[in-house]
Amino acid sequence: MADEKEDKGFRVIDRRGREESPPPAPSASAPPPAAQADKAPSAPPVPPQSSAPPGNLQGSERVKEEKGRGDAAPMVGAPRFLDLVESLQMGAMANLGMLQARDGSRTPVNLPGAKDAIDLLGVLQEKTRGNLDKDEEEVLREGLYHLRMAYMALMNAPPGGRGKGGEK
């Protein structure tokens, strides 16, 4: 029985399923905020509980809603299909030596790396056939065409024709 009355130093309150009540108004006897800053808090603040089930369902539902093909523009930072396509295209362009740094130097040519990125874009095009809107399909098709043409131009160039960093 003595153990029941012993103070453990913290207390757990289960607030699941209950609506949050507004915080109590500060009383006149409470010390001013400056005086409270000097004291260490007795317990960490409890984050508000959402009514959503546990896990990432709430976030994934938001992404699905934003990805919809409605008239509303997706939120800034929301993942899009074109972000994936553009990332793979930039990787292929870098490996083909098509990108130029601020100092004027070009990225070195890496034909196996470029081929891998182009092949991944081809797989993506095949697997998403019929499931893309016009803009997504056009960006993927046009980008893939130009990357393939640049790859073939480098493959067919004479070995001595490529300068340092892939320049002709």
Side-chain angles (χ1 to χ4, degrees):
M1 280 234 163
D3 292 335
E4 292 177 13
K5 294 181 182 180
E6 186 177 316
D7 185 18
K8 299 289 183 183
F10 63 91
R11 167 174 88 155
V12 177
I13 300 173
D14 185 6
R15 295 186 181 174
R16 291 179 286 187
R18 297 183 189 162
E19 290 186 24
E20 293 279 328
S21 60
S27 63
S29 64
Q36 288 178 351
D38 295 337
K39 295 181 181 179
S42 60
V46 178
Q49 299 288 328
S50 69
S51 61
N56 290 336
L57 293 178
Q58 185 179 12
S60 65
E61 289 171 358
R62 188 186 82 240
V63 170
K64 287 178 186 175
E65 290 172 6
E66 292 169 359
K67 187 183 182 296
R69 295 189 174 130
D71 294 333
M75 289 177 40
V76 174
R80 301 177 312 143
F81 176 76
L82 288 178
D83 293 335
L84 174 63
V85 171
E86 290 169 0
S87 174
L88 289 169
Q89 287 176 346
M90 289 298 286
M93 290 172 64
N95 286 325
L96 289 171
M98 297 172 73
L99 301 182
Q100 185 174 358
R102 290 183 184 185
D103 63 356
S105 64
R106 292 201 176 264
T107 56
V109 174
N110 177 2
L111 289 177
K115 184 179 184 321
D116 287 345
I118 292 169
D119 289 345
L120 279 173
L121 285 164
V123 168
L124 197 59
Q125 182 183 38
E126 183 63 32
K127 294 294 183 178
T128 58
R129 190 176 312 275
N131 292 322
L132 303 177
D133 61 26
K134 287 182 180 182
D135 293 337
E136 293 169 336
E137 188 176 334
E138 183 179 353
V139 167
L140 184 57
R141 183 176 36 83
E142 290 291 320
L144 198 48
Y145 172 78
H146 290 290
L147 289 170
R148 284 176 174 158
M149 292 299 110
Y151 178 80
M152 290 306 297
L154 286 175
M155 285 296 295
N156 294 330
R162 286 184 238 148
K164 182 180 177 186
E167 296 173 352
K168 287 188 177 181

